[in-house]
Amino acid sequence: MAGRWKNELTWSDVTPKDTWMNRRQLLAGAGAMGLAMTAAGRGEAKINAKKTSYGKGLKPNKLGDITSYNNFYEFGTGKEDPAKYAGSLTTDPWTVKVDGMVDKPGNYALGDLISGMQMEERIYRFRCVEAWSMVVPWVGFELADLLKKVGVQGGAKYVAFETLERPEEMPGQRRGILNWPYREGLRLDEAMHPLTIMATGLYDEPLPNQCGAPIRLVVPWKYGFKSIKSIVRISLVDKEPYATWNKTNSREYGFYSNVNPTVDHPRWSQATERVIGGGLFSAREPTLMFNGYEAEVASFYKGMDLKKFF
Ligand code: MTE
């Protein structure tokens, strides 16, 4: 069903989005103002996305949860750092380099790269490897459509992604927290799966900077760190690409990182998760195999030892 999904979902009645924005601007001053101005500056303040049945029955987290509890180490390692410091990131103009084994490589202005893509709302479970979770109403399009547009060549087996490297605007990059730029990768079949999207918005707004503006990956059956933010490069390659957390600590973070309650992190259990926004005394919830997307993706990993290829 197409249309302004904002008017069709029950959370629009309950979410205190406007109240929250005003409060944020009062509380955080310049940081939150930056967020608001960036969205307006991009000239696409409201997004019309096609409503889909993805996430039927899931209750999205409030915008305030989704934008105030983030991992984005380019802006610091604290959960509040991205909301505090990402507001000043310049996201317009934005160029994405597409290279490697593609028919139409190039430096694409973001608008050109995503023109013609079918924008949809996708309400997905989001499970961080740190054993917390949220439900996010993303707005985006299928990565497969973008890959078809640029033309994947025969020998390509993986898609590699890179985040912007701009230490002037990303205070975390002025410290050696990670080997910058942040990089991630997917096998080509994973990248082509219809669940895999490139998000450019959430709720009915352009992505807030702390959530990975102006464009990020979302792979809902994998731990959150695979969902790389603020992407400036997409490469089609034939070898398993560098993946930041996997290379930083391969004992703790695998290349696949499929959500799997039966494979513990070496330092904690993955059997349950803390639902952000669930309140102080809410019980932990059981983590679902492939984060609840088992029916869609389990066949990709048939015959693989998921304890070894975690
Ligand atoms: N992308 C970049 N460039 N830098 C990061 O630090 N953190 C990852 C992922 N993508 C990260 C990133 C991790 S650990 C998680 S859990 C998710 O982003 C968090 O996304 P969210 O803040 O939208 O919830």
Side-chain angles (χ1 to χ4, degrees), residues 66 69-74 126-130 132 134 136 138 163 178 180 182 210-212 216 223-230 245:
I66 300 169
Y69 191 88
N70 302 97
N71 277 330
F72 200 168
Y73 277 22
E74 283 82 344
F126 190 87
R127 171 62 157 80
C128 179
V129 75
E130 298 162 336
W132 52 264
M134 293 196 199
V136 184
W138 303 108
T163 292
L178 292 171
W180 311 111
Y182 195 100
Q210 62 267 45
C211 298
R216 71 173 294 170
Y223 291 120
F225 68 83
K226 297 294 287 184
S227 293
I228 180 173
K229 297 176 167 181
S230 304
W245 280 105

